Structure formats: C-alpha cells, structure tokens
Amino acid sequence: MASIGSLVFPTNGFSAVIFDCDGTLVDSMPAHFEAWCDALSLYGAGGIFKEDVFLAMGGRPTRDIVVELNDEYGLKLDPEEVAFAKREAFLKRLDSLTLIDEVAAFAEALRGKFPLSVASGGSRMVVEKTLKSVGVSDWFDEVVTADDVENGKPSPDVFLRAAELMGIAPSECLVLEDAPAGIIAAQRAGMQVIAVPSPVLSFEI
C-alpha cells in the first residue's frame, strides 16, 4: 500500500469529482519510470530521462514526451515505436501497482453520492488495465484518456470531456491531481483542484 499522509479533502462545494489515475489514485509512477527506462534503452537512449524530469512531465501523453526528448537531445526516436515499447514494459509491471490509500478512501466514500470520473493522460488500454489491476474499475461513471481528446494535458481537454460526459458544469467539478501538467489542465478547465503529494510506502506492522 502507499500513503500520502494527512491531506484534507473537502466534503462540499462540488457536484462531481474527477481523479487523475497515475500518481494520484494509483501508485504507478515508479513502474512508469522503469518502463520509460526500458523503452529508451531499447532504442539506444538509455539514461537520458532522469527521474525528476520524468515526474515533472507526469500526466503528459507518451508521444508528446518523446517529441520533447528528441528536441532536447537532438534524437530521432520514433514516438509511436517508443510509446509502444514503453506501454509493453509497463504492462509487465501491473502486479506491482497499489492504490494510494487516502485518495482511494475518498473515492470510495463518494461512490453512489456524486458522479465520479477518471481523466488520464495515458492511453485507454493502459488506464483501464491499471484500474482493473487495483480493483476499482467499477468505481467510476466515466473514464477519459488521451485517446479520447485531441490535446493532452496541460490542455484542459480531458477534464472538460469528463465534465461533459457526467453532465456537470466544469466550475462544479473537483479534480485530484499530482502532476504539474494535470494541475494546470484542471485550472484551465475552470475546475477546483487538490494537489496530491507523492506517496511514500506504508507498511503494516
């Protein structure tokens, strides 16, 4: 299990809640980083993607990150090929994923009381497999991914689409997000945002 420590969640002032997936609801960022390292090494670019840079770019679609890495390092990586390799490397690590305790408890407490959605910068297949792997696929009314919108985070598209599908005005939506791009996207959507800190491992004694 993973914990973010004490974080105060509001109990009113919103009509629906939208959760980012990776790093917010699910402690999956270590697995995503390892998958990035595997994929980049496969194409001769091992070691260029530092973990702090990876975390700062969290929430953005894989292809967009590959394009930026190409620009930054003068590389000619194929975004589609690297994205595929990264996805396959991540899927091998699904068993390592856990829920982030406090965020999951908040989501579970709201089930049946408010419309709930997931809005992620990941692909639909990976997001759905991630939610299934931690046993929360049936918690959410809608799941919106990078596959469903034209522009990924920090564009507000995924959040606006989630609000539209739920039939809730953006200003009445509360977003939980961990990554800078996602926080900016939610703000651009005109939504309330709670910034979720990075989890630390918690152990039962």
Side-chain angles (χ1 to χ4, degrees):
M1 303 296 284
S3 173
I4 54 173
S6 58
L7 182 66
V8 178
F9 296 99
T11 56
N12 53 48
F14 55 86
S15 299
V17 183
I18 306 173
F19 296 82
D20 170 54
C21 181
D22 298 302
T24 297
L25 179 67
V26 183
D27 184 20
S28 54
M29 297 307 277
H32 275 292
F33 180 63
E34 291 172 4
W36 265 112
C37 293
D38 285 358
L40 290 170
S41 293
L42 188 64
Y43 289 96
I48 66 167
F49 205 14
K50 305 304 180 185
E51 190 167 11
D52 58 338
V53 178
F54 158 74
L55 292 172
M57 297 174 81
R60 296 177 55 189
T62 302
R63 293 166 187 79
D64 293 357
I65 294 176
V66 176
V67 171
E68 188 156 326
L69 291 174
N70 280 339
D71 291 342
E72 178 75 18
Y73 294 100
L75 300 171
K76 295 181 180 179
L77 299 170
D78 184 307
E80 296 295 333
E81 290 181 0
V82 175
F84 178 80
K86 187 262 176 180
R87 184 187 74 187
E88 294 304 299
F90 176 76
L91 292 176
K92 294 176 182 176
R93 294 174 165 85
L94 286 175
D95 289 346
S96 71
L97 307 184
T98 62
L99 287 167
I100 295 175
D101 299 347
E102 295 82 359
V103 177
F106 180 58
E108 191 166 23
L110 298 177
R111 289 178 68 194
K113 301 174 183 175
F114 293 91
L116 304 180
S117 293
V118 167
S120 172
S123 68
R124 174 161 295 278
M125 188 191 82
V126 171
V127 173
E128 289 183 346
K129 286 183 177 293
T130 295
L131 295 174
K132 184 176 181 180
S133 75
V134 293
V136 299
S137 293
D138 61 342
W139 287 18
F140 303 97
D141 302 289
E142 305 291 345
V143 174
V144 181
T145 72
D147 295 340
D148 304 310
V149 295
E150 184 174 349
N151 302 300
K153 302 173 186 178
S155 162
D157 293 18
V158 287
F159 291 121
L160 293 173
R161 179 62 176 153
E164 179 185 7
L165 289 171
M166 292 188 293
I168 304 294
S171 61
E172 296 178 17
C173 293
L174 173 68
V175 173
L176 274 68
E177 254 287 0
D178 70 305
I183 292 169
I184 292 169
Q187 292 171 336
R188 288 177 174 172
M191 300 178 178
Q192 307 170 62
V193 192
I194 292 178
V196 176
S198 298
V200 294
L201 292 177
S202 60
F203 300 93
E204 293 184 6
I205 299 174

